Amino acid sequence: MTFAGLTPNQLLFILQGAGWTVILSLLGFVGGSVIGLPAAVGRISKNRLLRFGIAGYINLIQGIPLPIIMFLCYFGMSIAGFSVPALVAAAVAMTAYCSAYLAEIWRGALMSVPKAQWEAAECLALKPFQRLTHVILPQAVRISIAPTVGFLVQIVKNSSYAVVIGFAELTYTARLLNNSTFRPFVIFSIAALLYFAICYPLSLYSRRLERRLKRG
Amino acid sequence: MTALVTFKDVHKSYGTLPVLKGVSLTVPEGRVVALIGRSGSGKSTALRCINGLETIQSGTLEVCGRKLHEANCDLRHLRMEVGIVFQSYNLFPHLTVEQNVTLAPRLTGKASQAEAHEIARKVLEQVGLAEKAKAYPEQLSGGQQQRVAIARSLAMQPRVILFDEVTSALDPELTAEVLKTIEQLAQSGMTMVLVTHEMSFARRVADEIIFMHQGVVWETGDGSMFDNPQTPELRQFVGSGL
Ligand SMILES: Nc1ncnc2c1ncn2[C@@H]1O[C@H](COP(=O)(O)OP(=O)(O)O)[C@@H](O)[C@H]1O
Ligand SMILES: [Mg+2]
């Protein structure tokens, strides 16, 4: 039994690749959030040193192509004496990449909460951390949901750069399959469809959130 | 009678722009003091100094027994005793009316959850909005939002409340309901500093009226000062119908 000239095993292989793409994207998003949220808060802190330090980190990451970050993580860690699986290297690279962009998205959201809200919280004798967590963040989250979901699409698509370090995500499995079957059009079409199937619902959802937010 | 607020020769500038140029005034406990004057005369700045939102450059400023001119003044505890209400309400849009009111008492440890609930009931009743406890700010009129902001201040049981042109964004009908709330508060003995453009209201409610001009206290008196201004500046200000 074949589908578009591919055996069930070959199809399963490419689907597994899609599964790893989702997993890598999730790891990148979660890792990126864990670093990106404090980075966003640090970017608006009163401490100049902290602000500039984080800005430096963000600019650095945003100024390096993701495949190079992948290489750096993969070979860097092995040079440092850790022989890590490609998944770990790819996840670390994606974490770095996501953290820089999420930090900027969330900094924007934090800054779009009116200054008067900080002041009102301050006038009610809340401590700085309480102002942030009880007054500012809940409003910033609302503002940032749509662009964050929109960025998820970028994460999924850019996770394909893990191909350069041989991590078996969707792009890599598709290429591998092509090497043995020589049916590039069929195989890469399937890969494209799978990417689209992951990304399109996210885009739709993001746009719907944006519309809902505009309506208030 | 103890003074809750005492300015002595207070100077304050923003950068190179001097705004308060030697302000001296006192607000005795239980009294209502109205600050009037032209736009730009430094009324808001004076108010913001009282709760430490702005720091002063020279002179002394004592509020509720705390010396604000000293660097180590504990502003957080000051703000538990000094409430402020702004022209733009500044309610927290993601919280219900009740949550807006209970947030500070809970977070500052002034009240437990249950006590905070009881406080909210009481202060919302005081401003006539008990039935709106579960509403969100955006569902309220401007006048109602401003009354919630007053309730939110009251919930901290402050010793003095500052009002900065709290009706300036409201149309006349809503202005009336907010002024009524403030007037009732005045009658209950709350110490208040009111920056206002409502001259007839100031005259009716304030024990003392302070006319500020170009960053200093220009003339002081009670309601009768409008009938008999001592300075040409106040005469002109009164005459301009503001
Ligand atoms: N944060 C600020 N930075 C710089 N200048 C300010 C600031 N706030 C107020 N000013 C200036 O200080 C002066 C007094 O302002 P303000 O105290 O708001 O007067 P009022 O409340 O009597 O209208 C004005 O000239 C105003 O432009
Ligand atoms: Mg003002």
Side-chain angles (χ1 to χ4, degrees), chain A residues 86-112:
Chain A
L87 171 62
V88 175
V92 170
M94 287 302 288
T95 293
Y97 163 78
C98 294
S99 66
Y101 285 90
L102 288 173
E104 282 298 273
I105 292 173
W106 294 341
R107 176 181 75 107
L110 284 171
M111 285 183 24
S112 64

mmCIF file of all heavy atoms in Angstrom, chain A residues 86-112:
data_model
loop_
_atom_site.group_PDB
_atom_site.id
_atom_site.type_symbol
_atom_site.label_atom_id
_atom_site.label_comp_id
_atom_site.label_asym_id
_atom_site.label_seq_id
_atom_site.Cartn_x
_atom_site.Cartn_y
_atom_site.Cartn_z
ATOM 1 N N ALA A 86 21.421 16.285 19.508
ATOM 2 C CA ALA A 86 21.036 17.434 18.689
ATOM 3 C C ALA A 86 19.800 18.117 19.264
ATOM 4 O O ALA A 86 19.665 19.338 19.186
ATOM 5 C CB ALA A 86 20.785 16.992 17.259
ATOM 6 N N LEU A 87 18.903 17.324 19.857
ATOM 7 C CA LEU A 87 17.682 17.917 20.414
ATOM 8 C C LEU A 87 18.012 18.974 21.457
ATOM 9 O O LEU A 87 17.445 20.062 21.467
ATOM 10 C CB LEU A 87 16.786 16.838 21.041
ATOM 11 C CG LEU A 87 15.597 17.370 21.850
ATOM 12 C CD1 LEU A 87 14.644 18.176 20.973
ATOM 13 C CD2 LEU A 87 14.841 16.236 22.541
ATOM 14 N N VAL A 88 18.960 18.632 22.342
ATOM 15 C CA VAL A 88 19.313 19.573 23.408
ATOM 16 C C VAL A 88 19.915 20.846 22.817
ATOM 17 O O VAL A 88 19.520 21.967 23.160
ATOM 18 C CB VAL A 88 20.279 18.922 24.418
ATOM 19 C CG1 VAL A 88 20.740 19.950 25.445
ATOM 20 C CG2 VAL A 88 19.621 17.735 25.086
ATOM 21 N N ALA A 89 20.845 20.658 21.883
ATOM 22 C CA ALA A 89 21.474 21.829 21.266
ATOM 23 C C ALA A 89 20.432 22.679 20.554
ATOM 24 O O ALA A 89 20.411 23.905 20.676
ATOM 25 C CB ALA A 89 22.550 21.382 20.289
ATOM 26 N N ALA A 90 19.530 22.018 19.820
ATOM 27 C CA ALA A 90 18.501 22.762 19.090
ATOM 28 C C ALA A 90 17.581 23.488 20.061
ATOM 29 O O ALA A 90 17.189 24.639 19.828
ATOM 30 C CB ALA A 90 17.695 21.807 18.213
ATOM 31 N N ALA A 91 17.238 22.831 21.167
ATOM 32 C CA ALA A 91 16.332 23.445 22.147
ATOM 33 C C ALA A 91 16.996 24.659 22.793
ATOM 34 O O ALA A 91 16.347 25.689 23.005
ATOM 35 C CB ALA A 91 15.923 22.425 23.206
ATOM 36 N N VAL A 92 18.283 24.542 23.083
ATOM 37 C CA VAL A 92 18.996 25.680 23.685
ATOM 38 C C VAL A 92 19.047 26.844 22.686
ATOM 39 O O VAL A 92 18.780 27.996 23.034
ATOM 40 C CB VAL A 92 20.428 25.270 24.107
ATOM 41 C CG1 VAL A 92 21.241 26.498 24.506
ATOM 42 C CG2 VAL A 92 20.363 24.273 25.261
ATOM 43 N N ALA A 93 19.337 26.513 21.431
ATOM 44 C CA ALA A 93 19.387 27.564 20.412
ATOM 45 C C ALA A 93 18.027 28.232 20.246
ATOM 46 O O ALA A 93 17.919 29.462 20.179
ATOM 47 C CB ALA A 93 19.867 26.978 19.083
ATOM 48 N N MET A 94 16.982 27.428 20.198
ATOM 49 C CA MET A 94 15.633 27.981 20.046
ATOM 50 C C MET A 94 15.256 28.817 21.267
ATOM 51 O O MET A 94 14.578 29.838 21.147
ATOM 52 C CB MET A 94 14.605 26.852 19.859
ATOM 53 C CG MET A 94 14.648 26.181 18.500
ATOM 54 S SD MET A 94 14.383 27.306 17.111
ATOM 55 C CE MET A 94 12.641 27.660 17.279
ATOM 56 N N THR A 95 15.686 28.366 22.437
ATOM 57 C CA THR A 95 15.418 29.123 23.659
ATOM 58 C C THR A 95 16.044 30.510 23.582
ATOM 59 O O THR A 95 15.402 31.526 23.863
ATOM 60 C CB THR A 95 15.964 28.366 24.890
ATOM 61 O OG1 THR A 95 15.203 27.178 25.066
ATOM 62 C CG2 THR A 95 15.883 29.218 26.147
ATOM 63 N N ALA A 96 17.306 30.542 23.152
ATOM 64 C CA ALA A 96 17.993 31.829 23.037
ATOM 65 C C ALA A 96 17.268 32.716 22.034
ATOM 66 O O ALA A 96 16.982 33.888 22.305
ATOM 67 C CB ALA A 96 19.445 31.601 22.616
ATOM 68 N N TYR A 97 16.965 32.128 20.881
ATOM 69 C CA TYR A 97 16.287 32.888 19.827
ATOM 70 C C TYR A 97 14.938 33.411 20.307
ATOM 71 O O TYR A 97 14.628 34.601 20.199
ATOM 72 C CB TYR A 97 16.130 31.971 18.606
ATOM 73 C CG TYR A 97 15.127 32.417 17.585
ATOM 74 C CD1 TYR A 97 15.425 33.429 16.680
ATOM 75 C CD2 TYR A 97 13.870 31.820 17.510
ATOM 76 C CE1 TYR A 97 14.489 33.839 15.733
ATOM 77 C CE2 TYR A 97 12.935 32.216 16.582
ATOM 78 C CZ TYR A 97 13.249 33.229 15.694
ATOM 79 O OH TYR A 97 12.324 33.634 14.770
ATOM 80 N N CYS A 98 14.111 32.526 20.884
ATOM 81 C CA CYS A 98 12.771 32.931 21.317
ATOM 82 C C CYS A 98 12.845 33.964 22.444
ATOM 83 O O CYS A 98 12.050 34.906 22.496
ATOM 84 C CB CYS A 98 11.971 31.724 21.806
ATOM 85 S SG CYS A 98 11.608 30.542 20.513
ATOM 86 N N SER A 99 13.785 33.780 23.362
ATOM 87 C CA SER A 99 13.835 34.683 24.519
ATOM 88 C C SER A 99 14.060 36.118 24.056
ATOM 89 O O SER A 99 13.445 37.048 24.584
ATOM 90 C CB SER A 99 14.943 34.258 25.482
ATOM 91 O OG SER A 99 16.207 34.415 24.888
ATOM 92 N N ALA A 100 14.923 36.305 23.038
ATOM 93 C CA ALA A 100 15.215 37.663 22.585
ATOM 94 C C ALA A 100 13.980 38.321 21.983
ATOM 95 O O ALA A 100 13.681 39.480 22.256
ATOM 96 C CB ALA A 100 16.357 37.647 21.575
ATOM 97 N N TYR A 101 13.251 37.562 21.166
ATOM 98 C CA TYR A 101 12.082 38.166 20.510
ATOM 99 C C TYR A 101 10.906 38.303 21.462
ATOM 100 O O TYR A 101 10.190 39.311 21.455
ATOM 101 C CB TYR A 101 11.700 37.358 19.267
ATOM 102 C CG TYR A 101 12.665 37.610 18.128
ATOM 103 C CD1 TYR A 101 13.798 36.818 17.964
ATOM 104 C CD2 TYR A 101 12.475 38.682 17.265
ATOM 105 C CE1 TYR A 101 14.707 37.073 16.954
ATOM 106 C CE2 TYR A 101 13.376 38.945 16.242
ATOM 107 C CZ TYR A 101 14.491 38.138 16.095
ATOM 108 O OH TYR A 101 15.403 38.402 15.097
ATOM 109 N N LEU A 102 10.704 37.281 22.313
ATOM 110 C CA LEU A 102 9.597 37.381 23.285
ATOM 111 C C LEU A 102 9.840 38.537 24.243
ATOM 112 O O LEU A 102 8.912 39.263 24.602
ATOM 113 C CB LEU A 102 9.436 36.059 24.049
ATOM 114 C CG LEU A 102 8.857 34.907 23.229
ATOM 115 C CD1 LEU A 102 8.896 33.600 24.020
ATOM 116 C CD2 LEU A 102 7.422 35.214 22.796
ATOM 117 N N ALA A 103 11.109 38.714 24.633
ATOM 118 C CA ALA A 103 11.416 39.816 25.553
ATOM 119 C C ALA A 103 11.000 41.149 24.934
ATOM 120 O O ALA A 103 10.430 42.008 25.613
ATOM 121 C CB ALA A 103 12.907 39.832 25.889
ATOM 122 N N GLU A 104 11.256 41.314 23.644
ATOM 123 C CA GLU A 104 10.887 42.567 22.983
ATOM 124 C C GLU A 104 9.378 42.724 22.860
ATOM 125 O O GLU A 104 8.829 43.803 23.079
ATOM 126 C CB GLU A 104 11.541 42.647 21.601
ATOM 127 C CG GLU A 104 13.007 43.019 21.652
ATOM 128 C CD GLU A 104 13.243 44.401 22.247
ATOM 129 O OE1 GLU A 104 13.205 45.396 21.514
ATOM 130 O OE2 GLU A 104 13.463 44.466 23.474
ATOM 131 N N ILE A 105 8.697 41.637 22.511
ATOM 132 C CA ILE A 105 7.233 41.707 22.406
ATOM 133 C C ILE A 105 6.635 42.087 23.758
ATOM 134 O O ILE A 105 5.775 42.963 23.860
ATOM 135 C CB ILE A 105 6.654 40.340 21.949
ATOM 136 C CG1 ILE A 105 7.071 40.049 20.499
ATOM 137 C CG2 ILE A 105 5.145 40.321 22.075
ATOM 138 C CD1 ILE A 105 6.677 38.657 20.024
ATOM 139 N N TRP A 106 7.133 41.444 24.803
ATOM 140 C CA TRP A 106 6.536 41.667 26.121
ATOM 141 C C TRP A 106 6.959 43.002 26.719
ATOM 142 O O TRP A 106 6.207 43.621 27.462
ATOM 143 C CB TRP A 106 6.867 40.499 27.046
ATOM 144 C CG TRP A 106 6.206 39.231 26.573
ATOM 145 C CD1 TRP A 106 5.136 39.140 25.717
ATOM 146 C CD2 TRP A 106 6.551 37.877 26.890
ATOM 147 N NE1 TRP A 106 4.800 37.834 25.493
ATOM 148 C CE2 TRP A 106 5.648 37.035 26.190
ATOM 149 C CE3 TRP A 106 7.527 37.294 27.688
ATOM 150 C CZ2 TRP A 106 5.696 35.644 26.287
ATOM 151 C CZ3 TRP A 106 7.578 35.906 27.779
ATOM 152 C CH2 TRP A 106 6.670 35.090 27.088
ATOM 153 N N ARG A 107 8.151 43.448 26.378
ATOM 154 C CA ARG A 107 8.546 44.781 26.821
ATOM 155 C C ARG A 107 7.585 45.815 26.229
ATOM 156 O O ARG A 107 7.122 46.727 26.907
ATOM 157 C CB ARG A 107 9.966 45.108 26.381
ATOM 158 C CG ARG A 107 10.399 46.516 26.736
ATOM 159 C CD ARG A 107 11.797 46.785 26.267
ATOM 160 N NE ARG A 107 11.846 46.989 24.827
ATOM 161 C CZ ARG A 107 12.044 48.179 24.262
ATOM 162 N NH1 ARG A 107 12.203 49.240 25.024
ATOM 163 N NH2 ARG A 107 12.083 48.296 22.953
ATOM 164 N N GLY A 108 7.273 45.630 24.950
ATOM 165 C CA GLY A 108 6.333 46.539 24.299
ATOM 166 C C GLY A 108 4.985 46.532 25.007
ATOM 167 O O GLY A 108 4.375 47.579 25.233
ATOM 168 N N ALA A 109 4.542 45.339 25.384
ATOM 169 C CA ALA A 109 3.247 45.226 26.056
ATOM 170 C C ALA A 109 3.300 45.906 27.427
ATOM 171 O O ALA A 109 2.384 46.637 27.814
ATOM 172 C CB ALA A 109 2.861 43.756 26.206
ATOM 173 N N LEU A 110 4.392 45.684 28.141
ATOM 174 C CA LEU A 110 4.523 46.304 29.472
ATOM 175 C C LEU A 110 4.515 47.825 29.339
ATOM 176 O O LEU A 110 3.894 48.531 30.136
ATOM 177 C CB LEU A 110 5.832 45.864 30.134
ATOM 178 C CG LEU A 110 5.860 44.451 30.703
ATOM 179 C CD1 LEU A 110 7.280 44.064 31.120
ATOM 180 C CD2 LEU A 110 4.927 44.343 31.903
ATOM 181 N N MET A 111 5.201 48.312 28.298
ATOM 182 C CA MET A 111 5.302 49.764 28.163
ATOM 183 C C MET A 111 4.012 50.388 27.683
ATOM 184 O O MET A 111 3.806 51.586 27.846
ATOM 185 C CB MET A 111 6.454 50.119 27.227
ATOM 186 C CG MET A 111 7.779 49.923 27.933
ATOM 187 S SD MET A 111 9.253 50.356 27.016
ATOM 188 C CE MET A 111 8.671 51.509 25.835
ATOM 189 N N SER A 112 3.138 49.575 27.091
ATOM 190 C CA SER A 112 1.897 50.166 26.605
ATOM 191 C C SER A 112 0.839 50.260 27.712
ATOM 192 O O SER A 112 -0.234 50.813 27.491
ATOM 193 C CB SER A 112 1.366 49.398 25.398
ATOM 194 O OG SER A 112 1.033 48.093 25.780
#
